[in-house]
Amino acid sequence: MPRPISAALHLDAFDNNLQVIRRVAPTAKIWAVVKANAYGHGLKRVWQSLANTDGFALLDLAEAVMLREAGWQGPILLLEGFFQTQDLALLDRYRLTTSVHSDWQLAAIAEARLSAPLEVYLKINSGMNRLGFAPARLPQIWQQTQRIRNIASTTLMSHFATADGPQGVTQQMATLDAAAEALPLPRCLANSAATLWHPATHGSWVRPGIILYGASPSGQWHDITDTGLQPAMSLRSEIIAVQTLQPGDRVGYGWRYAASAVQRIGIVACGYADGYPRHAPSGTPVWVDGVLTHTVGTVSMDMLAVDLTPCPQANIGTPVELWGRHLPVDEVAAAAGTLGYELLTALAPRVPVVTG
Ligand SMILES: *Cc1c(COP(=O)(O)O)cnc(C)c1O
């Protein structure tokens, strides 16, 4: 028998979540962001459940090629563009749309021998200060793209730093509006947070990632409870041993937890080598057999311990959900001081992925 842990994919959730996005952004096309192996869910496994999207956006050329060869014929956007001039041969062959954030990329496209022109997303640095041309250069660069025969069309692209928080998008939108004034450029700006909460950013295409997977861009589950988004993954395991602690007995590495009374605890086959966060403190929520309980002690590589006081019927073989349909990944992430993004993308390769 394998270890009882698995990541169950709820494939229906993907189409549901796409429909939610269509409702909130009815006039925009959707780039389904599937970077990082579809946020840990497995691109190969899930792309067909997202086939009602208008396009797929990702980073890795190999993933783009895989998607084409698997049969996706629609648009594919490379979010960070290409990394070397030689990559253009693959962009040409597989008809990939590329972001362009640096002068060398424009020069490389201008000089390439392509079978047909490429669609280009001009990335403007509107305040994130990661990738992109300075806003003041936009008119000149746009003119340049107009003269490059290898460019079929140009879209304005930028990325928001605070669309999920109180600062919102006002400052970056003002920067973009000033830079793009009077230029006839379609826009692609909105990540999940902007898609949900800032309709003025929607433009021609939105680029949602995390909400496709049913987690919150803000890290707060209550921010998306009313949207109809559904989690696409449940990380499940079982109790493989039970201990009865006496007052003062301690649990796990570092003996960080001590029982204050007689207490039953369950040992769950899930640890940080499965992708569960090691820094999750005692008290992190865990769903056991229909009841919410919490971890006790330090998460080990292969196991963690849970308090069985609220579920006295639990025993060896009892099902456990670490996150998913009964327990939003955002709540586990919040307890561990991180985001659902990090937990989902950190799912370890050793965890078998199943559907259902
Ligand atoms: C990851 C990413 C997105 C999607 O972000 P979410 O917050 O997951 O919606 C959109 N655009 C770019 C450029 C990205 O890198």
Side-chain angles (χ1 to χ4, degrees):
M1 283 293 283
R3 287 170 80 225
I5 191 167
S6 65
L9 296 185
H10 313 304
L11 295 177
D12 294 352
F14 289 110
D15 201 58
N16 171 79
N17 296 345
L18 264 182
Q19 288 178 42
V20 169
I21 295 164
R22 293 250 182 245
R23 281 201 295 277
V24 298
T27 59
K29 290 190 180 179
I30 300 173
W31 288 113
V33 179
V34 291
K35 63 188 176 186
N37 200 21
Y39 286 51
H41 295 65
L43 178 56
K44 219 173 192 151
R45 235 177 252 110
V46 308
W47 75 269
Q48 281 169 305
S49 304
L50 286 165
N52 284 331
T53 186
D54 300 297
F56 286 101
L58 40 68
L59 305 178
D60 193 20
L61 206 46
E63 285 185 338
V65 169
M66 186 279 279
L67 201 51
R68 271 284 179 263
E69 295 195 331
W72 172 252
Q73 297 183 347
I76 299 178
L77 170 63
L78 297 173
L79 289 165
E80 291 182 354
F82 49 100
F83 299 95
Q84 292 185 304
T85 303
Q86 301 90 288
D87 296 341
L88 281 168
L90 286 176
L91 270 63
D92 184 32
R93 175 153 162 221
Y94 291 96
R95 294 285 97 206
L96 307 178
T97 302
T98 184
S99 119
V100 166
H101 56 78
S102 294
D103 289 301
W104 76 265
Q105 291 171 319
L106 271 188
I109 293 174
E111 286 155 25
R113 283 180 161 216
L114 304 179
S115 63
L118 294 172
E119 318 250 322
V120 160
Y121 274 48
L122 265 192
K123 182 100 186 238
I124 298 302
N125 172 15
S126 59
M128 184 79 158
N129 284 308
R130 249 172 16 176
L131 298 182
F133 296 101
R137 294 189 59 204
L138 177 59
Q140 169 246 319
I141 289 175
W142 177 74
Q143 291 245 316
Q144 210 179 321
T145 63
Q146 296 305 101
R147 289 194 300 264
I148 297 176
R149 288 225 227 107
N150 278 340
I151 295 182
S153 72
T154 307
T155 299
L156 174 67
M157 176 181 183
S158 199
H159 196 58
F160 294 117
T162 56
D164 59 314
Q167 287 157 290
V169 298
T170 314
Q171 190 180 328
Q172 284 184 267
M173 281 298 275
T175 301
L176 287 165
D177 287 341
E181 196 190 9
L183 299 180
L185 278 169
R187 293 179 172 205
C188 175
L189 309 175
N191 56 6
S192 290
T195 301
L196 285 181
W197 300 315
H198 302 286
T201 65
H202 288 174
S204 308
W205 287 80
V206 292
R207 297 193 308 272
I210 194 73
I211 54 177
L212 290 171
Y213 309 94
S216 173
S218 68
Q220 303 288 330
W221 167 244
H222 64 76
D223 286 342
I224 63 163
T225 34
D226 296 334
T227 56
L229 293 167
Q230 295 169 2
M233 179 201 293
S234 295
L235 181 61
R236 295 175 178 157
S237 188
E238 288 179 7
I239 291 175
I240 58 169
V242 171
Q243 305 293 341
T244 301
L245 307 179
Q246 300 302 314
D249 280 356
R250 290 162 176 270
V251 179
Y253 286 116
W255 273 352
R256 292 223 178 84
Y257 177 82
S260 52
V262 173
Q263 181 184 12
R264 277 179 92 232
I265 62 166
I267 306 303
V268 180
C270 177
Y272 61 78
D274 299 302
Y276 195 90
R278 185 181 172 279
H279 42 280
S282 288
T284 300
V286 180
W287 181 97
V288 177
D289 204 15
V291 177
L292 270 189
T293 179
H294 56 263
T295 61
V296 292
T298 310
V299 174
S300 321
M301 184 185 290
D302 313 305
M303 285 175 265
L304 55 80
V306 294
D307 180 19
L308 296 183
T309 311
C311 36
Q313 78 290 353
N315 218 320
I316 291 174
T318 292
V320 174
E321 183 180 288
L322 285 314
W323 64 66
R325 276 190 174 153
H326 302 102
L327 172 58
V329 68
D330 301 302
E331 311 241 294
V332 180
T338 182
L339 297 173
Y341 292 83
E342 187 177 7
L343 299 192
L344 295 175
T345 57
L347 182 76
R350 82 174 188 186
V351 177
V353 179
V354 299
T355 50

